[in-house]
Amino acid sequence: MTGAQRKTLQDIADAAGLSKAATSYALRGLRGSEATQARVRAIAEEFGYSADPIARALASGRSGNVAIVGSLRDLWRQGLAVMLSEALRAQELSSIIADVDGSPQREEEVLRSLAAQRVDGVIALPVDPSASYWADVPSQTRIVSIGDALTARPESESVLFDNEYGVGTALQHLADLGHRSVGLLAPSLPSTPGRPAELLAQSLGDSMGLTVTVSSSPSSVHGAAQAAAQLLVGDRRPTALFCLGDSIAFGAYRAARDLGLSVPGDLSILGFDDSELASLVSPELTTFGWDEQAIVDAAVGALTSPEGTGTAGGQMMFRPVFIARASTTRPSRPNAPSR
Amino acid sequence: MTGAQRKTLQDIADAAGLSKAATSYALRGLRGSEATQARVRAIAEEFGYSADPIARALASGRSGNVAIVGSLRDLWRQGLAVMLSEALRAQELSSIIADVDGSPQREEEVLRSLAAQRVDGVIALPVDPSASYWADVPSQTRIVSIGDALTARPESESVLFDNEYGVGTALQHLADLGHRSVGLLAPSLPSTPGRPAELLAQSLGDSMGLTVTVSSSPSSVHGAAQAAAQLLVGDRRPTALFCLGDSIAFGAYRAARDLGLSVPGDLSILGFDDSELASLVSPELTTFGWDEQAIVDAAVGALTSPEGTGTAGGQMMFRPVFIARASTTRPSRPNAPSR
DNA sequence: TGAATGATGTGAACCGGTTCACATCATCAG
DNA sequence: CTGATGATGTGAACCGGTTCACATCATTCA
């Protein structure tokens, strides 16, 4: 039905009375007089011409495909993946999304299979940022990693999260409220906004006079509920729980409910990653939010910035914003004994 | 670092002592003796050869790009988009994800821009399934739509949701519990699992002796809370709310809380789309779940099935499964007056 | 035996751009 | 006025496959 044949470069060249080569250069503004360029552009415009991305890809050697690889189980990352794909689309790039489901093996596998697909860029939300397989990706394929720098690939750029700030702010907030014993629930896999957070938390906590008990937890709500429950049964259970991820925090709510603890009365809960639902649960979750759009733009920008822009190995740091809501308060019994 | 040049078809041909043409045919099992095919395959295997998707695309005329277009605001669709992209990857297809943010104008715009991108398939989660612009997509581009059939493009396949069943089951459930007046909150835009649901609900409700009040609501939690609140202030407020989407249901929880209504005591709430958080909220949300993987597979299958598979205009219907949890119960005061 | 048939393989064109090496011409310095 | 320089434009090769039209050869049937 859509009658008109797609115009080709040759058509434009003919109309302009130029060679294919000259036309190609002119359209891209690489060569030719200003006048010629304008004329060619005008004709292209009139013809509704746009270069076939595939032919261009074949000739130029880049595919226009970017892979988004990593752990995409949780809602936050899932949203990020969609936003990334969108942002790439704006640059006329298509995306290949591969969730590796938290498994380094699958991550390695996916990376290998990507080689065949001729992607010319990878945005990673790495499951295992210290794995050596990252170095096996052909060096002309740029990698931008989000959340953690890839140790095996120092020349790749990364978008990092200012965990020190986040953890510091969180602990300070709890300390100010009068808490003395805080539980920290970190995702079991080392990848999350806040990986070295466990270590940080210990030392920062010390300096504030806080006892920080670290425990790891699955990212799923149910798994987190169990992990939280374990932390809450001890004789000297913490009066606050800092959860590195809202899903974990939701699990903590559930655990608290199951154990008959009121939030925030008996237990303060602090989340991370401000999900759409953080303000839905009752009490509304105090958490940290990110400027996701800025993160996405930074990642895509790093990937598409011209080759030599000297940002090799560059790192950008994003700082979470503290969002005080209702799930944290002063502890009812400063040093809660068992219940 | 990754030394070895990528092998080309010519390399394989040379090694096999055949022409490029014969090799190409053999590799795809289209021509040549069984013996030759096996030999060529073995060599390709040994060389670690895989055809360059770009060259293939240029020559064969299909790009290997599929666009996922539509309304992707809510978590359910966002998850679906990621799953779709994954499933496409398994077929060696890359994806272009475009969220049109609920706007038919943007939808039209995106579809037009897609023409330039040479996608060879579209998976639509249409904002406006009855819009005429769907017909403007080049007819050789296959479209599979999810949720609603595209009226302007009868030859395209669709994956539909059995709304009649869902709504019927929901209303029956509420009727059985003794409710007489039910509020229905449907997303404001006509696209959702359950678009003609409003109409259905009226007629089905009638036959069960239920009064169904229909109202539309934004998909965001906050917007839904407002919409729900409006439904709940009347003198003869409904004793149950059926929300077409869990996000809306969560909004309803919030509204109920704000109004001092207990759930399910004063108000039963029924959701749709079983999100991960449905079992987190308190009380746990009674809702309907989908077999998302089956839906995704069906859509991708329809898109990639060979041309002539006679499924043109085919429709597949998926039935939601009712998940009884704790947010619905018999009404405390069968015909609740105002509060 | 000879013609029709079908299976196997081949060279070359083609998809639609990009890029290289070179030709042409105007400009400018010496 | 001459030769070097740089800007503009050109033909052809190339990217790596697919596919068409045709050549070869072995079968099969009359």
Side-chain angles (χ1 to χ4, degrees), chain A residues 104-188:
Chain A
Q105 286 78 18
R106 287 220 20 167
E107 188 158 77
E108 175 164 14
E109 213 174 293
V110 164
L111 286 173
R112 292 209 186 295
S113 78
L114 249 34
Q117 298 244 24
R118 262 177 162 301
V119 290
D120 42 36
V122 173
I123 294 180
L125 295 130
V127 168
D128 185 354
S130 60
S132 62
Y133 49 71
W134 292 104
D136 298 341
V137 175
S139 53
Q140 78 270 20
T141 305
R142 285 175 92 171
I143 306 186
V144 172
S145 90
I146 298 182
D148 290 284
L150 304 174
T151 50
R153 213 170 216 270
E155 77 279 16
S156 72
E157 278 129 41
S158 21
V159 174
L160 302 178
F161 304 117
D162 192 343
N163 297 308
E164 182 157 356
Y165 172 84
V167 173
T169 306
L171 295 182
Q172 191 63 57
H173 171 70
L174 294 174
D176 287 352
L177 287 173
H179 292 269
R180 304 301 317 272
S181 168
V182 173
L184 175 72
L185 276 173
S188 16

Side-chain angles (χ1 to χ4, degrees), chain A residues 40-96:
Chain A
V40 173
R41 255 195 296 271
I43 296 178
E45 177 80 18
E46 181 194 345
F47 280 40
Y49 168 84
S50 74
D52 181 338
I54 300 176
R56 170 170 289 175
L58 181 59
S60 65
R62 61 193 113 267
S63 65
N65 274 355
V66 173
I68 299 173
V69 178
S71 177
L72 306 174
R73 290 153 308 170
D74 57 307
L75 298 173
W76 191 72
R77 292 183 148 74
Q78 215 155 280
L80 215 57
V82 171
M83 292 177 75
L84 283 167
S85 180
E86 286 269 1
L88 289 169
R89 186 177 77 84
Q91 308 284 330
E92 314 222 294
L93 295 169
S94 39
S95 15
I96 296 178

